[in-house]
Amino acid sequence: MPYAEVDDVRLHIRQQGTGRVALFIHGFPLDSSMWIEQLSALSEVRRCIAVDLRGFGRSSPVDGTPLTMERHAADLAGVLDLVSEEKADIVGLSMGGYVALAFAELYSDRVRSLALLDTRSGGDTEEGKAGRDATAERLLEEGRAAIAEGMQAALLAPGASLTARARLRSMIEGCPYETIVAALGGMRDRPDRTEVLSSVSVPAAVLVGEHDAVTPPADAEQMAEALGDASLSVIPGAGHLTPIENPAAVNEALLSLFAR
Ligand code: MLT
């Protein structure tokens, strides 16, 4: 099933493995290909499903209207309804973590475990919101390459491999302008979901790159404390894109979560 028809859209899906479902939610402005190492390693124990969120990757296009975290969560619930009646392990990175928290709030009965990677539970500050609008303006004036340049420095650890840099660059430069504008608006407008953390009663894991400058280890520690039953893994040598920068350490942490 490379595509799922959910509501008004067609969502592209990467799938590997059988059995219990683990759902992988990508960050901004990325796509499901960021999870290829996880799909390959974790398909030993799970039916791994990585979705291109609407507007991203090979999923249906969107216009520039803000894409809310709730919209994405509803799409993912629709995908799960198509593949299994059981609960799923929910894994989200950064913007995917914002979506995972919305999912945990709105569809808690579908969550078997929750993994939050390089993300935060709070909303944007006023400064952060203004930054989203400035990024959208810059994108439209200077193009994707200009924002990719800045993001490469912000998202990857110093000394990141050529492969990691190439993968990031391809994803950013392949992302439609409308999607980037819509996603920036959706992240700008997202609510603070810190209180959702204390309502999570399933096993959880918080992962963060030791050099993550976007959502630093201090934020991850606070989230792990606020979650009832969470492990915290600081991923060596990685910045904000831990699954790409140090897949082996991320896979190990997720395997331990799935075994709990
Ligand atoms: C991401 O990696 O998804 C973004 O850094 C999230 C954000 O901009 O808040």
Side-chain angles (χ1 to χ4, degrees), residues 71-90:
R71 174 67 264 171
H72 289 310
D75 287 347
L76 295 173
V79 171
L80 283 186
D81 285 345
L82 292 175
V83 298
S84 166
E85 286 177 1
E86 288 183 18
K87 296 178 185 224
D89 300 290
I90 307 294

Side-chain angles (χ1 to χ4, degrees), residues 16-39:
Q16 213 166 324
T18 54
R20 290 178 155 185
V21 173
L23 187 69
F24 292 83
I25 317 171
H26 63 78
F28 163 84
L30 312 176
D31 60 56
S32 61
S33 72
M34 65 160 283
W35 298 111
I36 49 177
E37 283 91 349
Q38 284 66 49
L39 264 55

Side-chain angles (χ1 to χ4, degrees), residues 27-28 30 93-96 98 120 124 132 155 187 190 214 240-241:
F28 163 84
L30 312 176
L93 175 124
S94 200
M95 182 187 77
Y98 311 155
R120 61 165 69 85
D124 278 5
R132 301 286 188 198
L155 301 190
M187 290 192 289
R190 78 188 190 282
V214 180
H240 186 63
L241 296 187

